[in-house]
Amino acid sequence: MENKKTKVNRTLNYYMRALHRDIGFLVIGLTIIYSLSGVLLVYRDTNILKHDVVVRQEITKNLTTDDLSKSLYLRDFKAVKEDGNRVYFQDGTYITDGKYDKSTGIVTYTEKQLPQIFNKFTNFHMTSTNSGYMYWFSVLYGLMLFFLAISSFWMFKPGSKMFKRGAVLTLFGAVLSIVLIWNL
């Protein structure tokens, strides 16, 4: 005699719910760290957690101020003054006391930096196609979150009160996202 409990009707609904559960548990840990680093990223331009670090490096000699800016990859580079072979600069946000000696190519400046562990957290959000495995991780993570969003519609029967509530909240979230993006 066959036990009816061992025989499971495995429909699309069954698989979507199972995948939603398993991927959801996998993503929980990632999302906690990613969200905390996102909150920290909001405060990256404040000096609350930053400390001064003196940076010294050797670059090409006899650069113009435009070439110096490009060589140092500074966004808001400002040459404060030139005195013979020396160029004094800052960037308005992170860099102060910048000095470039044209004859030696030595650059020194004081930079406001987050502690190393916080730098790692904020860099978690700044992946690009050149980021190697972090690029592919970000793509996979985004796809998993997308799957969780879509598969949540399989959690309740279409037409039920909870399904309708979920659809209304989804629509509200989409409209809210569009409004936020439009106002950037």
Side-chain angles (χ1 to χ4, degrees):
M1 187 162 98
E2 192 174 315
N3 187 352
K4 289 187 180 189
K5 287 186 179 182
T6 60
K7 195 172 188 177
V8 177
N9 185 14
R10 299 202 170 161
T11 62
L12 177 63
N13 191 40
Y14 171 84
Y15 287 111
M16 290 300 275
R17 290 175 67 95
L19 284 170
H20 183 89
R21 179 197 62 227
D22 294 343
I23 291 173
F25 282 126
L26 172 68
V27 168
I28 285 172
L30 298 171
T31 303
I32 289 170
I33 298 301
Y34 198 73
S35 65
L36 291 175
S37 67
V39 169
L40 184 61
L41 192 62
V42 170
Y43 295 100
R44 73 185 176 275
D45 290 335
T46 66
N47 290 328
I48 294 172
L49 298 173
K50 293 185 177 175
H51 63 284
D52 289 341
V53 175
V54 176
V55 176
R56 184 179 190 279
Q57 64 188 68
E58 190 172 335
I59 60 173
T60 308
K61 298 176 187 177
N62 297 316
L63 293 176
T64 65
T65 54
D66 288 340
D67 291 337
L68 176 60
S69 170
K70 290 174 188 170
S71 180
L72 295 175
Y73 302 105
L74 297 178
R75 259 189 267 173
D76 299 323
F77 179 87
K78 292 176 190 128
V80 178
K81 73 176 186 175
E82 284 193 51
D83 181 18
N85 276 341
R86 287 227 164 138
V87 176
Y88 298 89
F89 64 91
Q90 60 187 26
D91 82 341
T93 308
Y94 302 109
I95 307 294
T96 58
D97 302 327
K99 296 177 197 86
Y100 167 63
D101 190 329
K102 289 181 178 183
S103 61
T104 62
I106 301 289
V107 176
T108 59
Y109 54 88
T110 303
E111 182 177 20
K112 292 268 186 203
Q113 290 183 356
L114 288 169
Q116 187 61 26
I117 185 70
F118 293 138
N119 259 341
K120 295 259 186 212
F121 269 73
T122 57
N123 289 338
F124 196 39
H125 284 267
M126 298 182 201
T127 58
S128 69
T129 54
N130 299 330
S131 299
Y133 71 91
M134 283 302 289
Y135 167 77
W136 290 108
F137 167 76
S138 294
V139 169
L140 181 62
Y141 181 58
L143 290 172
M144 287 190 295
L145 289 175
F146 181 76
F147 173 79
L148 288 175
I150 299 302
S151 66
S152 64
F153 287 105
W154 273 267
M155 297 298 110
F156 303 99
K157 291 186 189 257
S160 71
K161 185 177 177 181
M162 290 303 287
F163 186 86
K164 289 176 185 175
R165 181 177 180 210
V168 168
L169 288 171
T170 300
L171 182 63
F172 177 73
V175 169
L176 182 62
S177 296
I178 290 168
V179 168
L180 290 171
I181 289 169
W182 190 265
N183 289 313
L184 281 178

